[in-house]
Amino acid sequence: MDTYKIARLFDFEGNIISIEPYGDGHINDTYLVSTDGKTSYILQRLNTKIFKNYQGLMDNIQKVSAFLSDIITKEGGDVTRECLTLIPTKDNKHYVVVNDDCWRAYIFVPDTIVYQIIDTPAIFENTGEAFGKFIARLDSFDASTLCEVIPDFHNTVDRYQKFLTAVEENKSGRRDNVKEEIEFVKKRKDFMSLIVNALNNKEIPLRVTHNDTKLNNVLIDKTSGKAICIIDLDTIMPGSLLYDFGDSIRFGCNTALEDEPDLSKVNFDIELYKSYCTGFLRGIGDKITQKEINMLHIGSIMMTLECGTRFLTDYLDGDLYFKTKYPEHNLVRCHTQFKLVECMEKASNEMIKIAKNCKI
Ligand code: ADP
Ligand code: GN1
Ligand code: MG
């Protein structure tokens, strides 16, 4: 595929100088397009095997980024740095389909860093504030105008069923290698329905949420250390705030990388939990309910268990979903997540106390 040919379909300023693979996502193919003009661009090929309804997905992103851009303008912010800006194609569409691949482009936000691992609690607190603010800003967005990009994305009851199917089918022939891991999930079957039940019983509200709030989906300003721009809006759809909070904790409170093979390095950092909680609750302000605050620790454990179960499911299926760099990659990722689940389960009482004390 000729990325230059694709890039020329978009309404970029200046002449293209280079196009290089960029970033470290598990799903899409991302390229940095440098030009001789003032602006560089991000060009992305969407993974249409995963995002089958890419039209719906791109419409979601257009609506949400326009909505956020209005709010940021009203607040006197810089829209080119504080939210994603889609670049239209030369025939004024917000994406283009070439040979069944869907491509889109954004303004590249310069002088920012994405972290794969946190080194400063203050940065994590800023990240929490940005994600909290993100949900608060979308509070008045009409959720019924969004399509459900991946149905049942965080439906952990459904994830459990899919896991059982993968165990049953054993497509990869790897089932006997992972007996303990399978038992680990089965033991937690009842736990996996807690948030789904709370949503169904309307104990907690359904909101417009990001649904993929890991640390490398937020751009941090190099100079100020502030989390300025939330990216990767592919999974924006109705969900629970507990999913967004929990996924950030899953990724950010890990003392090691998501795919660290040495499990002695993988631990849950409770001080970082406190930092994120403080920032998140400040960012979301009065938009959070008491019941949600009481369940923040459950969100954290749930998202970690869900992610580990997804890695295990994909391992059993033969690595069909996540990009992998070596044959056991999904299993290594599964192990880090399950180790974190155990650590969080042990730290639950402390996590509950922290959330209570953070909210003034
Ligand atoms: P994936 O769904 O594959 O994770 P992302 O949309 O998260 O794809 O993009 C992958 C990486 O590209 C991000 O982690 C970030 O480093 C970088 N990136 C994406 N969009 C931008 C942008 N507008 N400005 C600067 N960097 C970006
Ligand atoms: C994927 O796209 P990316 O790399 O930000 C995945 C998330 C997982 C995450 C695990 C659409 O996120 O749900 O939590 O990997 N995204 C999708 O790192 O499945
Ligand atoms: Mg990403």
Side-chain angles (χ1 to χ4, degrees):
M1 152 254 331
D2 182 351
T3 46
Y4 282 82
K5 220 170 168 177
I6 307 286
R8 278 194 286 271
L9 300 173
F10 288 90
D11 200 9
F12 294 150
E13 274 174 34
N15 300 302
I16 296 168
I17 296 172
S18 64
I19 303 183
E20 303 289 341
Y22 195 78
D24 200 17
H26 292 353
I27 305 292
N28 299 317
D29 293 328
T30 303
Y31 300 87
L32 172 63
V33 181
S34 305
T35 70
D36 59 7
K38 281 192 295 234
T39 315
S40 298
Y41 300 93
I42 285 284
L43 178 68
Q44 278 183 325
R45 178 170 59 173
L46 263 181
N47 186 327
T48 45
K49 263 200 237 148
I50 289 175
F51 298 118
K52 295 190 177 73
N53 182 4
Y54 54 81
Q55 295 95 334
L57 177 153
M58 287 308 300
D59 289 348
N60 281 358
I61 293 185
Q62 195 189 34
K63 284 176 203 157
V64 169
S65 47
F67 184 88
L68 289 173
S69 150
D70 272 357
I71 296 182
I72 292 163
T73 308
K74 278 184 200 135
E75 290 173 359
D78 176 354
V79 284
T80 60
R81 285 185 75 69
E82 292 173 39
C83 69
L84 283 176
T85 308
L86 278 168
I87 299 294
T89 59
K90 285 178 178 154
D91 57 354
N92 209 24
K93 304 266 165 30
H94 47 292
Y95 61 93
V96 63
V97 179
V98 180
N99 300 334
D100 294 335
D101 281 330
C102 174
W103 293 83
R104 63 170 174 222
Y106 294 112
I107 291 182
F108 174 76
V109 184
D111 305 317
T112 62
I113 312 180
V114 299
Y115 287 85
Q116 304 300 336
I117 193 160
I118 266 297
D119 52 5
T120 330
I123 289 184
F124 202 40
E125 186 175 326
N126 293 339
T127 306
E129 184 171 357
F131 275 119
K133 215 166 164 186
F134 184 83
I135 297 180
R137 279 173 169 164
L138 290 175
D139 195 53
S140 57
F141 187 94
D142 180 1
S144 69
T145 65
L146 291 180
C147 86
E148 201 179 349
V149 177
I150 303 182
D152 294 317
F153 191 57
H154 287 314
N155 179 340
T156 40
V157 174
D158 185 68
R159 290 277 180 202
Y160 185 78
Q161 287 309 321
K162 286 183 174 134
F163 153 75
L164 288 184
T165 307
V167 173
E168 184 66 33
E169 291 181 349
N170 189 21
K171 281 188 202 144
S172 62
R174 290 161 159 172
R175 186 173 52 201
D176 285 349
N177 307 347
V178 287
K179 285 188 188 141
E180 268 181 44
E181 292 81 351
I182 292 172
E183 281 315 303
F184 186 96
V185 181
K186 285 188 174 169
K187 261 195 210 149
R188 289 160 178 82
K189 175 176 187 250
D190 290 344
F191 176 82
M192 285 185 97
S193 58
L194 287 184
I195 297 179
V196 172
N197 287 348
L199 280 170
N200 288 342
N201 300 335
K202 305 215 174 341
E203 289 165 45
I204 53 170
L206 191 70
R207 306 166 175 277
V208 176
T209 46
H210 183 283
N211 295 303
D212 189 5
T213 52
K214 63 182 186 183
L215 197 56
N216 59 15
N217 285 333
V218 56
L219 306 179
I220 312 284
D221 187 282
K222 262 186 194 160
T223 322
S224 67
K226 289 271 173 210
I228 52 163
C229 182
I230 309 276
I231 60 167
D232 205 344
L233 304 180
D234 296 335
T235 47
I236 286 229
M237 56 190 156
S240 164
L241 160 163
L242 300 174
Y243 301 146
D244 277 6
F245 179 86
D247 202 37
S248 292
I249 297 303
R250 168 189 85 73
F251 196 85
C253 292
N254 184 355
T255 52
L257 291 173
E258 190 181 67
D259 57 358
E260 170 59 59
D262 178 356
L263 284 183
S264 69
K265 294 187 183 155
V266 176
N267 277 300
F268 173 63
D269 187 329
I270 191 93
E271 284 308 311
L272 284 179
Y273 183 78
K274 197 171 176 179
S275 305
Y276 192 88
C277 229
T278 309
F280 186 83
L281 291 172
R282 188 167 61 233
I284 197 159
D286 59 6
K287 295 283 190 264
I288 190 166
T289 67
Q290 189 58 47
K291 179 76 185 175
E292 286 171 317
I293 297 176
N294 297 345
M295 290 182 77
L296 288 175
H297 65 294
I298 295 180
S300 310
I301 302 172
M302 191 71 74
M303 293 310 294
T304 314
L305 180 60
E306 182 204 79
C307 198
T309 305
R310 288 175 65 195
F311 290 140
L312 180 58
T313 303
D314 200 33
Y315 181 76
L316 285 161
D317 282 343
D319 309 323
L320 302 176
Y321 187 95
F322 295 104
K323 287 186 192 172
T324 50
K325 294 186 178 143
Y326 54 93
E328 302 294 286
H329 204 168
N330 269 321
L331 186 57
V332 167
R333 289 169 174 151
C334 160
H335 287 158
T336 63
Q337 302 307 294
F338 288 178
K339 164 97 189 260
L340 285 171
V341 167
E342 281 176 333
C343 296
M344 287 186 209
E345 286 172 344
K346 284 189 195 129
S348 279
N349 286 338
E350 216 176 323
M351 291 164 84
I352 296 171
K353 256 192 238 151
I354 288 173
K356 251 192 208 149
N357 293 340
C358 280
K359 187 71 190 171
I360 315 139

